[in-house]
Amino acid sequence: MNLTQFSIERNRVVLSILAVVIVMGLVFYKSLSRDSMPPYTIRVATVVTSFPGASPERVEELITDKIEKVVQELPELKNVKSTSRTGLSVVNVELKMEVSPDDLQAVWDRLRRKLSNIQGLPSNIYPQLKDDGIGEVFGIAVGITSDGYSYSEMKDYADELRDELIKLDDAAKVEINGAQEERIFVKFENAKLKAYGMTSSGLREIINNTNILNSGGEITIEDERIILEPTGNFNSVSDIQNMLIPIGNSGQVVTLGDVTSVQKGYLTPPKQIVRVNGLTALSLHISLKEGSNVIKLGEDVDYVLSQWKQKLPVGLEVSRLASIDTYIDKKISAFLVNLFQAIGIVLVVMLFFLGIRTGLVVASLIPIVTISTFLVMGLINVGLNQISLAALIMALGMMVDNAIVVAETIMVKVEKGIEIKKAAIG
């Protein structure tokens, strides 16, 4: 007994199963992940080593060659490429496709340990393995603009907004672009330092020795452990200004603020500059968790932004800069439109050429098979994205062609006098 014969003779069972499949397919369709592209594993990392002032030849001889030899010890290695430039070594590492996503981090950790144990590198040279963030897609971008506010005030609001966005269920990471690095600047005049009998290098050493950042260790007394925490680290700009600086050999001291100007500021020129509609801005970029719904993430982001637009002061505005969620929503809507158009066109054509009964049968296959496909996609954890939607659209045409061929074959056999049941089974 073949599948066709079983379906005809046990039609109630088949129709019951088909009804369950359709209901489950509709349920799974609601829960399918939605993203621009399917998740994929990047098996590439970069080892970056800085060697300031060294020529490309010295960088290759002292650093790049040694890193390459360590990388080649990895059994999972597929390819290694290197570039040696003035003061910089870059080694690209590519692993074999057989390395599963679950084992990938263990391989990078093993390589990181090997790099830390390389012998013969110049002093204070430490290779850095860059394996994080490769392949991440930040599909939603939000901008906060300032008109009349200082950078620090705008940055405070941007940090608060980031804290709200990272709490969203579907948000994996939120990065701020355009942020400037904050520093404490100690400005002085050489003539003034000389008048106090000081030098710039001596002043730097005094500041470094005063700002204690190391641990004091711990001591154990019987059953108690006492942690020693040294004091002296700077907690504010005023702490730096009020630190005492010895001058001369007479034991006299002055405050650092008396001989220098201590200010908090930002590095110039900034590494990134963001402008929105000609205004100074900061942008926040949001990536999607794997297997999540980018459309739902976009709706959550819109809700957060609507709340922030009400509480932001005049002069600060927040808006969307990039919206891949709307693009994906349009793609899915376009697929559904194509699906209904295909059903209507097939139905009209089949009614005209093959009759109402055959037309209804062939046209009904399109939604039934598509919904069944949603069920299978949900079971194997495949979401709706540009690749799966393209595959579904192509499959629609193939499915309609096959259905027409089967229907016409049955009709030809019936016209030859074969019983309709045997024509369908055979």
Side-chain angles (χ1 to χ4, degrees):
M1 178 183 293
N2 58 29
L3 182 60
T4 305
Q5 183 177 357
F6 176 84
S7 301
I8 294 175
E9 296 179 355
R10 307 285 195 279
N11 55 73
R12 292 185 179 180
V13 175
V14 173
L15 291 175
S16 300
I17 296 174
L18 185 60
V20 173
V21 169
I22 291 176
V23 172
M24 294 298 296
L26 293 174
V27 172
F28 272 97
Y29 170 75
K30 294 293 184 181
S31 61
L32 289 177
S33 63
R34 289 162 172 80
D35 201 354
S36 59
M37 297 295 289
Y40 54 93
T41 302
I42 303 295
R43 296 173 175 82
V44 177
T46 304
V47 182
V48 180
T49 310
S50 178
F51 191 13
S55 63
E57 291 78 11
R58 285 181 57 81
V59 170
E60 182 176 8
E61 178 183 358
L62 298 178
I63 298 177
T64 305
D65 285 346
K66 296 178 181 180
I67 293 177
E68 283 186 346
K69 291 177 181 178
V70 169
V71 171
Q72 289 169 356
E73 296 176 1
L74 291 175
E76 299 88 354
L77 180 67
K78 176 183 179 182
N79 189 23
V80 58
K81 296 181 181 179
S82 65
T83 302
S84 298
R85 299 196 293 265
T86 301
L88 186 67
S89 168
V90 179
V91 180
N92 296 314
V93 183
E94 182 180 358
L95 302 182
K96 298 176 182 177
M97 293 297 294
E98 290 77 11
V99 180
S100 66
D102 296 334
D103 298 333
L104 193 60
Q105 191 58 48
V107 176
W108 296 138
D109 290 340
R110 185 159 20 104
L111 177 57
R112 192 174 282 109
R113 289 193 296 270
K114 288 178 177 291
L115 293 174
S116 63
N117 295 326
I118 294 180
Q119 302 295 324
L121 289 178
S123 59
N124 298 323
I125 299 298
Y126 306 102
Q128 301 293 325
L129 180 63
K130 308 291 185 180
D131 64 299
D132 294 331
I134 300 177
E136 287 182 335
V137 177
F138 293 86
I140 299 178
V142 175
I144 179 169
T145 59
S146 169
D147 186 6
Y149 284 83
S150 65
Y151 169 80
S152 59
E153 292 173 320
M154 181 175 60
K155 181 64 164 56
D156 290 340
Y157 281 104
D159 289 334
E160 291 182 21
L161 178 57
R162 180 195 177 279
D163 293 339
E164 294 240 4
L165 293 174
I166 198 63
K167 295 177 183 177
L168 299 179
D169 295 336
D170 297 321
K173 184 185 294 185
V174 180
E175 292 187 355
I176 299 179
N177 283 2
Q180 302 178 29
E181 296 186 30
E182 194 173 28
R183 293 289 187 274
I184 302 295
F185 296 94
V186 180
K187 300 180 180 179
F188 56 85
E189 297 179 3
N190 288 325
K192 192 171 185 179
L193 289 184
K194 188 176 181 180
Y196 283 96
M198 303 170 59
T199 62
S200 58
S201 59
L203 181 62
R204 184 187 303 111
E205 184 177 353
I206 293 173
I207 296 175
N208 290 334
N209 293 335
T210 304
N211 187 28
I212 302 175
L213 299 176
N214 298 325
S215 170
E218 59 183 42
I219 59 176
T220 302
I221 301 178
E222 295 182 354
D223 295 335
E224 295 185 359
R225 185 178 64 175
I226 301 176
I227 298 176
L228 304 179
E229 183 177 352
T231 59
N233 58 299
F234 300 134
N235 296 317
S236 64
V237 175
S238 60
D239 290 345
I240 303 175
Q241 292 174 331
N242 296 328
M243 71 171 290
L244 299 178
I245 305 294
I247 56 173
N249 298 321
S250 60
Q252 293 181 341
V253 295
V254 295
T255 63
L256 182 62
D258 292 334
V259 296
T260 65
S261 172
V262 182
Q263 299 174 351
K264 180 185 290 188
Y266 301 94
L267 291 179
T268 54
K271 293 183 178 180
Q272 292 179 328
I273 297 178
V274 176
R275 288 188 178 275
V276 177
N277 296 328
L279 297 176
T280 302
L282 292 173
S283 59
L284 296 90
H285 301 259
I286 310 166
S287 64
L288 180 71
K289 288 182 180 178
E290 184 175 338
S292 297
N293 189 338
V294 71
I295 299 176
K296 180 178 180 298
L297 175 61
E299 293 173 350
D300 294 340
V301 170
D302 288 337
Y303 178 74
V304 173
L305 295 185
S306 65
Q307 291 184 320
W308 270 72
K309 288 178 180 179
Q310 297 176 2
K311 71 177 185 179
L312 279 177
V314 177
L316 286 175
E317 293 185 1
V318 63
S319 60
R320 283 275 204 116
L321 302 180
S323 305
I324 199 173
D325 55 306
T326 57
Y327 172 78
I328 298 301
D329 193 18
K330 290 179 181 178
K331 286 291 183 180
I332 295 176
S333 299
F335 168 75
L336 295 177
V337 170
N338 290 334
L339 178 65
F340 291 124
Q341 287 178 347
I343 295 173
I345 293 172
V346 170
L347 182 59
V348 171
V349 173
M350 292 300 102
L351 288 176
F352 185 76
F353 289 101
L354 300 179
I356 185 170
R357 186 172 183 180
T358 305
L360 289 174
V361 171
V362 174
S364 65
L365 289 176
I366 299 176
I368 291 175
V369 174
T370 303
I371 294 173
S372 302
T373 304
F374 291 151
L375 171 61
V376 177
M377 291 172 63
L379 293 175
I380 63 177
N381 198 26
V382 174
L384 292 174
N385 50 67
Q386 296 186 71
I387 303 300
S388 60
L389 288 176
L392 285 170
I393 292 172
M394 289 188 292
L396 283 178
M398 298 171 58
M399 179 182 58
V400 172
D401 289 342
N402 294 335
I404 293 174
V405 170
V406 172
E408 287 183 339
T409 302
I410 296 175
M411 292 178 66
V412 169
K413 291 182 179 180
V414 172
E415 290 176 356
K416 291 181 179 180
I418 301 176
E419 184 183 349
I420 187 170
K421 183 176 179 180
K422 292 182 179 180
I425 296 174

